Amino acid sequence: MIVDYIDAHKGRFGVAPICRVLTEHGVQIAPSTYYARKHAGPVSATQMAEAYDAHTVYQAFQRNRGVYGVRKLALPDSECVEVLCEAAGVDE
């Protein structure tokens, strides 16, 4: 989403100035991150679904005041939960 925004306005302002203004307003992105994302190509549906799942796990972690880890965030597939917790930065 941020990459699309930068793409839409880079012709007028340039990548570095847009990244600087976005960072000043709380959306941290470095020009090198933008170029790395552009070089990586499109995100697959599987990667996007995993990102949404990891975000759901992270939200559950936050709702529980950050005290629930892998063991308490029980979902039917415990291995899946471990992977999602790791992706979301949730420790045991």
Side-chain angles (χ1 to χ4, degrees):
M1 181 181 231
I2 294 170
V3 172
D4 294 336
Y5 178 83
I6 294 171
D7 281 342
H9 300 285
K10 72 180 179 182
R12 183 171 177 196
F13 300 107
V15 173
I18 293 172
C19 291
R20 189 176 331 103
V21 171
L22 287 172
T23 299
E24 289 172 3
H25 291 279
V27 181
Q28 294 187 347
I29 184 166
S32 59
T33 304
Y34 164 78
Y35 289 117
R37 181 66 246 154
K38 290 297 288 182
H39 180 69
V43 177
S44 71
T46 303
Q47 291 171 319
M48 187 64 79
E50 186 174 297
Y52 278 114
D53 291 343
H55 184 67
T56 301
V57 168
Y58 182 74
Q59 286 178 322
F61 176 72
Q62 289 296 318
R63 273 195 310 274
N64 292 291
R65 298 177 298 269
V67 296
Y68 281 16
V70 175
R71 291 187 307 253
K72 288 197 176 187
L73 290 173
L75 294 176
D77 184 358
S78 63
E79 184 177 316
C80 179
V81 172
E82 289 179 27
V83 171
L84 292 174
C85 283
E86 184 179 319
V90 175
D91 293 330
E92 285 190 44

mmCIF file of all heavy atoms in Angstrom, residues 44-71:
data_model
loop_
_atom_site.group_PDB
_atom_site.id
_atom_site.type_symbol
_atom_site.label_atom_id
_atom_site.label_comp_id
_atom_site.label_asym_id
_atom_site.label_seq_id
_atom_site.Cartn_x
_atom_site.Cartn_y
_atom_site.Cartn_z
ATOM 1 N N SER A 44 2.486 -12.849 -3.118
ATOM 2 C CA SER A 44 1.558 -13.915 -3.491
ATOM 3 C C SER A 44 0.360 -13.941 -2.543
ATOM 4 O O SER A 44 0.412 -13.394 -1.440
ATOM 5 C CB SER A 44 2.260 -15.272 -3.453
ATOM 6 O OG SER A 44 2.515 -15.653 -2.118
ATOM 7 N N ALA A 45 -0.698 -14.592 -2.969
ATOM 8 C CA ALA A 45 -1.900 -14.719 -2.138
ATOM 9 C C ALA A 45 -1.590 -15.476 -0.849
ATOM 10 O O ALA A 45 -2.112 -15.148 0.218
ATOM 11 C CB ALA A 45 -3.007 -15.417 -2.917
ATOM 12 N N THR A 46 -0.709 -16.465 -0.924
ATOM 13 C CA THR A 46 -0.329 -17.237 0.262
ATOM 14 C C THR A 46 0.417 -16.362 1.261
ATOM 15 O O THR A 46 0.144 -16.402 2.465
ATOM 16 C CB THR A 46 0.560 -18.429 -0.137
ATOM 17 O OG1 THR A 46 -0.146 -19.217 -1.097
ATOM 18 C CG2 THR A 46 0.933 -19.270 1.052
ATOM 19 N N GLN A 47 1.356 -15.554 0.776
ATOM 20 C CA GLN A 47 2.098 -14.653 1.656
ATOM 21 C C GLN A 47 1.161 -13.636 2.307
ATOM 22 O O GLN A 47 1.297 -13.320 3.488
ATOM 23 C CB GLN A 47 3.185 -13.913 0.881
ATOM 24 C CG GLN A 47 4.326 -14.792 0.430
ATOM 25 C CD GLN A 47 5.258 -14.053 -0.511
ATOM 26 O OE1 GLN A 47 4.809 -13.304 -1.384
ATOM 27 N NE2 GLN A 47 6.554 -14.260 -0.329
ATOM 28 N N MET A 48 0.214 -13.140 1.535
ATOM 29 C CA MET A 48 -0.732 -12.156 2.063
ATOM 30 C C MET A 48 -1.620 -12.792 3.126
ATOM 31 O O MET A 48 -1.857 -12.199 4.186
ATOM 32 C CB MET A 48 -1.593 -11.578 0.936
ATOM 33 C CG MET A 48 -2.466 -10.429 1.385
ATOM 34 S SD MET A 48 -1.556 -8.993 1.939
ATOM 35 C CE MET A 48 -1.111 -8.260 0.402
ATOM 36 N N ALA A 49 -2.092 -14.000 2.881
ATOM 37 C CA ALA A 49 -2.928 -14.701 3.866
ATOM 38 C C ALA A 49 -2.148 -14.962 5.148
ATOM 39 O O ALA A 49 -2.674 -14.775 6.256
ATOM 40 C CB ALA A 49 -3.442 -16.014 3.278
ATOM 41 N N GLU A 50 -0.878 -15.346 5.025
ATOM 42 C CA GLU A 50 -0.052 -15.587 6.208
ATOM 43 C C GLU A 50 0.172 -14.286 6.984
ATOM 44 O O GLU A 50 0.167 -14.278 8.215
ATOM 45 C CB GLU A 50 1.282 -16.197 5.823
ATOM 46 C CG GLU A 50 2.115 -16.595 7.031
ATOM 47 C CD GLU A 50 3.374 -17.341 6.650
ATOM 48 O OE1 GLU A 50 3.260 -18.436 6.083
ATOM 49 O OE2 GLU A 50 4.454 -16.797 6.927
ATOM 50 N N ALA A 51 0.344 -13.189 6.274
ATOM 51 C CA ALA A 51 0.523 -11.900 6.941
ATOM 52 C C ALA A 51 -0.740 -11.517 7.708
ATOM 53 O O ALA A 51 -0.662 -11.030 8.846
ATOM 54 C CB ALA A 51 0.867 -10.823 5.918
ATOM 55 N N TYR A 52 -1.908 -11.719 7.122
ATOM 56 C CA TYR A 52 -3.164 -11.430 7.828
ATOM 57 C C TYR A 52 -3.321 -12.329 9.051
ATOM 58 O O TYR A 52 -3.753 -11.876 10.113
ATOM 59 C CB TYR A 52 -4.369 -11.598 6.894
ATOM 60 C CG TYR A 52 -4.615 -10.392 6.022
ATOM 61 C CD1 TYR A 52 -4.451 -10.468 4.647
ATOM 62 C CD2 TYR A 52 -5.024 -9.179 6.570
ATOM 63 C CE1 TYR A 52 -4.677 -9.365 3.842
ATOM 64 C CE2 TYR A 52 -5.247 -8.071 5.768
ATOM 65 C CZ TYR A 52 -5.079 -8.166 4.408
ATOM 66 O OH TYR A 52 -5.301 -7.085 3.619
ATOM 67 N N ASP A 53 -2.971 -13.608 8.918
ATOM 68 C CA ASP A 53 -3.057 -14.531 10.056
ATOM 69 C C ASP A 53 -2.105 -14.111 11.169
ATOM 70 O O ASP A 53 -2.460 -14.132 12.351
ATOM 71 C CB ASP A 53 -2.760 -15.961 9.609
ATOM 72 C CG ASP A 53 -3.843 -16.539 8.719
ATOM 73 O OD1 ASP A 53 -4.963 -15.984 8.698
ATOM 74 O OD2 ASP A 53 -3.567 -17.557 8.046
ATOM 75 N N ALA A 54 -0.877 -13.716 10.803
ATOM 76 C CA ALA A 54 0.093 -13.269 11.808
ATOM 77 C C ALA A 54 -0.411 -12.012 12.503
ATOM 78 O O ALA A 54 -0.262 -11.855 13.722
ATOM 79 C CB ALA A 54 1.448 -13.011 11.160
ATOM 80 N N HIS A 55 -1.058 -11.137 11.750
ATOM 81 C CA HIS A 55 -1.617 -9.920 12.351
ATOM 82 C C HIS A 55 -2.748 -10.268 13.326
ATOM 83 O O HIS A 55 -2.871 -9.655 14.388
ATOM 84 C CB HIS A 55 -2.114 -8.965 11.270
ATOM 85 C CG HIS A 55 -2.615 -7.671 11.814
ATOM 86 N ND1 HIS A 55 -1.797 -6.758 12.425
ATOM 87 C CD2 HIS A 55 -3.859 -7.155 11.866
ATOM 88 C CE1 HIS A 55 -2.515 -5.730 12.822
ATOM 89 N NE2 HIS A 55 -3.768 -5.948 12.499
ATOM 90 N N THR A 56 -3.563 -11.254 12.990
ATOM 91 C CA THR A 56 -4.637 -11.699 13.888
ATOM 92 C C THR A 56 -4.051 -12.232 15.189
ATOM 93 O O THR A 56 -4.553 -11.924 16.280
ATOM 94 C CB THR A 56 -5.486 -12.790 13.202
ATOM 95 O OG1 THR A 56 -6.038 -12.242 12.002
ATOM 96 C CG2 THR A 56 -6.602 -13.276 14.093
ATOM 97 N N VAL A 57 -2.970 -13.002 15.094
ATOM 98 C CA VAL A 57 -2.305 -13.509 16.293
ATOM 99 C C VAL A 57 -1.755 -12.348 17.117
ATOM 100 O O VAL A 57 -1.897 -12.299 18.334
ATOM 101 C CB VAL A 57 -1.183 -14.509 15.920
ATOM 102 C CG1 VAL A 57 -0.288 -14.814 17.106
ATOM 103 C CG2 VAL A 57 -1.787 -15.782 15.367
ATOM 104 N N TYR A 58 -1.137 -11.384 16.447
ATOM 105 C CA TYR A 58 -0.580 -10.228 17.146
ATOM 106 C C TYR A 58 -1.678 -9.425 17.853
ATOM 107 O O TYR A 58 -1.500 -8.975 18.986
ATOM 108 C CB TYR A 58 0.196 -9.331 16.173
ATOM 109 C CG TYR A 58 0.827 -8.155 16.855
ATOM 110 C CD1 TYR A 58 1.960 -8.321 17.649
ATOM 111 C CD2 TYR A 58 0.298 -6.882 16.730
ATOM 112 C CE1 TYR A 58 2.545 -7.254 18.289
ATOM 113 C CE2 TYR A 58 0.873 -5.804 17.371
ATOM 114 C CZ TYR A 58 1.992 -5.994 18.149
ATOM 115 O OH TYR A 58 2.565 -4.929 18.784
ATOM 116 N N GLN A 59 -2.830 -9.261 17.201
ATOM 117 C CA GLN A 59 -3.947 -8.549 17.831
ATOM 118 C C GLN A 59 -4.423 -9.290 19.073
ATOM 119 O O GLN A 59 -4.732 -8.663 20.091
ATOM 120 C CB GLN A 59 -5.098 -8.377 16.836
ATOM 121 C CG GLN A 59 -4.828 -7.332 15.787
ATOM 122 C CD GLN A 59 -5.964 -7.232 14.795
ATOM 123 O OE1 GLN A 59 -6.563 -8.232 14.408
ATOM 124 N NE2 GLN A 59 -6.264 -6.011 14.378
ATOM 125 N N ALA A 60 -4.497 -10.617 19.012
ATOM 126 C CA ALA A 60 -4.891 -11.407 20.183
ATOM 127 C C ALA A 60 -3.877 -11.218 21.299
ATOM 128 O O ALA A 60 -4.237 -11.079 22.473
ATOM 129 C CB ALA A 60 -5.019 -12.882 19.817
ATOM 130 N N PHE A 61 -2.605 -11.187 20.947
ATOM 131 C CA PHE A 61 -1.531 -10.952 21.913
ATOM 132 C C PHE A 61 -1.706 -9.581 22.577
ATOM 133 O O PHE A 61 -1.619 -9.449 23.797
ATOM 134 C CB PHE A 61 -0.187 -11.047 21.187
ATOM 135 C CG PHE A 61 1.009 -10.728 22.030
ATOM 136 C CD1 PHE A 61 1.444 -11.607 23.012
ATOM 137 C CD2 PHE A 61 1.723 -9.564 21.819
ATOM 138 C CE1 PHE A 61 2.571 -11.331 23.776
ATOM 139 C CE2 PHE A 61 2.846 -9.276 22.576
ATOM 140 C CZ PHE A 61 3.264 -10.158 23.559
ATOM 141 N N GLN A 62 -2.000 -8.557 21.790
ATOM 142 C CA GLN A 62 -2.188 -7.205 22.320
ATOM 143 C C GLN A 62 -3.448 -7.099 23.179
ATOM 144 O O GLN A 62 -3.446 -6.435 24.212
ATOM 145 C CB GLN A 62 -2.262 -6.184 21.175
ATOM 146 C CG GLN A 62 -0.932 -5.964 20.484
ATOM 147 C CD GLN A 62 0.090 -5.355 21.411
ATOM 148 O OE1 GLN A 62 -0.188 -4.453 22.182
ATOM 149 N NE2 GLN A 62 1.303 -5.880 21.347
ATOM 150 N N ARG A 63 -4.541 -7.745 22.758
ATOM 151 C CA ARG A 63 -5.792 -7.714 23.533
ATOM 152 C C ARG A 63 -5.608 -8.315 24.919
ATOM 153 O O ARG A 63 -6.290 -7.928 25.863
ATOM 154 C CB ARG A 63 -6.890 -8.499 22.802
ATOM 155 C CG ARG A 63 -7.661 -7.703 21.797
ATOM 156 C CD ARG A 63 -8.934 -8.429 21.387
ATOM 157 N NE ARG A 63 -8.729 -9.814 21.004
ATOM 158 C CZ ARG A 63 -8.395 -10.236 19.781
ATOM 159 N NH1 ARG A 63 -8.194 -9.369 18.821
ATOM 160 N NH2 ARG A 63 -8.251 -11.513 19.526
ATOM 161 N N ASN A 64 -4.688 -9.246 25.028
ATOM 162 C CA ASN A 64 -4.434 -9.909 26.304
ATOM 163 C C ASN A 64 -3.234 -9.292 27.019
ATOM 164 O O ASN A 64 -2.512 -9.974 27.740
ATOM 165 C CB ASN A 64 -4.237 -11.410 26.074
ATOM 166 C CG ASN A 64 -5.534 -12.047 25.640
ATOM 167 O OD1 ASN A 64 -6.459 -12.141 26.419
ATOM 168 N ND2 ASN A 64 -5.610 -12.448 24.381
ATOM 169 N N ARG A 65 -3.039 -8.009 26.801
ATOM 170 C CA ARG A 65 -2.008 -7.207 27.468
ATOM 171 C C ARG A 65 -0.596 -7.757 27.278
ATOM 172 O O ARG A 65 0.275 -7.578 28.115
ATOM 173 C CB ARG A 65 -2.332 -7.045 28.949
ATOM 174 C CG ARG A 65 -3.628 -6.308 29.186
ATOM 175 C CD ARG A 65 -3.928 -6.241 30.668
ATOM 176 N NE ARG A 65 -4.097 -7.549 31.279
ATOM 177 C CZ ARG A 65 -5.251 -8.186 31.407
ATOM 178 N NH1 ARG A 65 -6.352 -7.626 30.971
ATOM 179 N NH2 ARG A 65 -5.319 -9.372 31.991
ATOM 180 N N GLY A 66 -0.378 -8.468 26.209
ATOM 181 C CA GLY A 66 0.950 -8.960 25.881
ATOM 182 C C GLY A 66 1.450 -10.082 26.765
ATOM 183 O O GLY A 66 2.644 -10.333 26.812
ATOM 184 N N VAL A 67 0.543 -10.743 27.485
ATOM 185 C CA VAL A 67 0.986 -11.811 28.377
ATOM 186 C C VAL A 67 0.769 -13.199 27.793
ATOM 187 O O VAL A 67 1.330 -14.162 28.311
ATOM 188 C CB VAL A 67 0.290 -11.729 29.761
ATOM 189 C CG1 VAL A 67 0.677 -10.444 30.456
ATOM 190 C CG2 VAL A 67 -1.213 -11.830 29.638
ATOM 191 N N TYR A 68 -0.040 -13.327 26.759
ATOM 192 C CA TYR A 68 -0.268 -14.637 26.155
ATOM 193 C C TYR A 68 0.822 -14.910 25.135
ATOM 194 O O TYR A 68 1.109 -14.095 24.281
ATOM 195 C CB TYR A 68 -1.621 -14.687 25.454
ATOM 196 C CG TYR A 68 -2.803 -14.896 26.368
ATOM 197 C CD1 TYR A 68 -2.699 -14.708 27.732
ATOM 198 C CD2 TYR A 68 -4.020 -15.282 25.862
ATOM 199 C CE1 TYR A 68 -3.778 -14.892 28.573
ATOM 200 C CE2 TYR A 68 -5.113 -15.471 26.683
ATOM 201 C CZ TYR A 68 -4.988 -15.272 28.040
ATOM 202 O OH TYR A 68 -6.046 -15.451 28.863
ATOM 203 N N GLY A 69 1.417 -16.089 25.215
ATOM 204 C CA GLY A 69 2.425 -16.505 24.251
ATOM 205 C C GLY A 69 1.892 -17.628 23.399
ATOM 206 O O GLY A 69 0.685 -17.827 23.264
ATOM 207 N N VAL A 70 2.797 -18.402 22.852
ATOM 208 C CA VAL A 70 2.436 -19.486 21.943
ATOM 209 C C VAL A 70 1.505 -20.488 22.617
ATOM 210 O O VAL A 70 0.520 -20.932 22.040
ATOM 211 C CB VAL A 70 3.708 -20.195 21.422
ATOM 212 C CG1 VAL A 70 3.349 -21.399 20.584
ATOM 213 C CG2 VAL A 70 4.561 -19.230 20.633
ATOM 214 N N ARG A 71 1.813 -20.852 23.863
ATOM 215 C CA ARG A 71 1.015 -21.885 24.532
ATOM 216 C C ARG A 71 -0.416 -21.433 24.797
ATOM 217 O O ARG A 71 -1.341 -22.239 24.731
ATOM 218 C CB ARG A 71 1.684 -22.283 25.849
ATOM 219 C CG ARG A 71 2.985 -23.031 25.632
ATOM 220 C CD ARG A 71 3.532 -23.550 26.947
ATOM 221 N NE ARG A 71 3.639 -22.488 27.930
ATOM 222 C CZ ARG A 71 4.776 -21.943 28.340
ATOM 223 N NH1 ARG A 71 5.909 -22.380 27.858
ATOM 224 N NH2 ARG A 71 4.800 -20.985 29.227
#
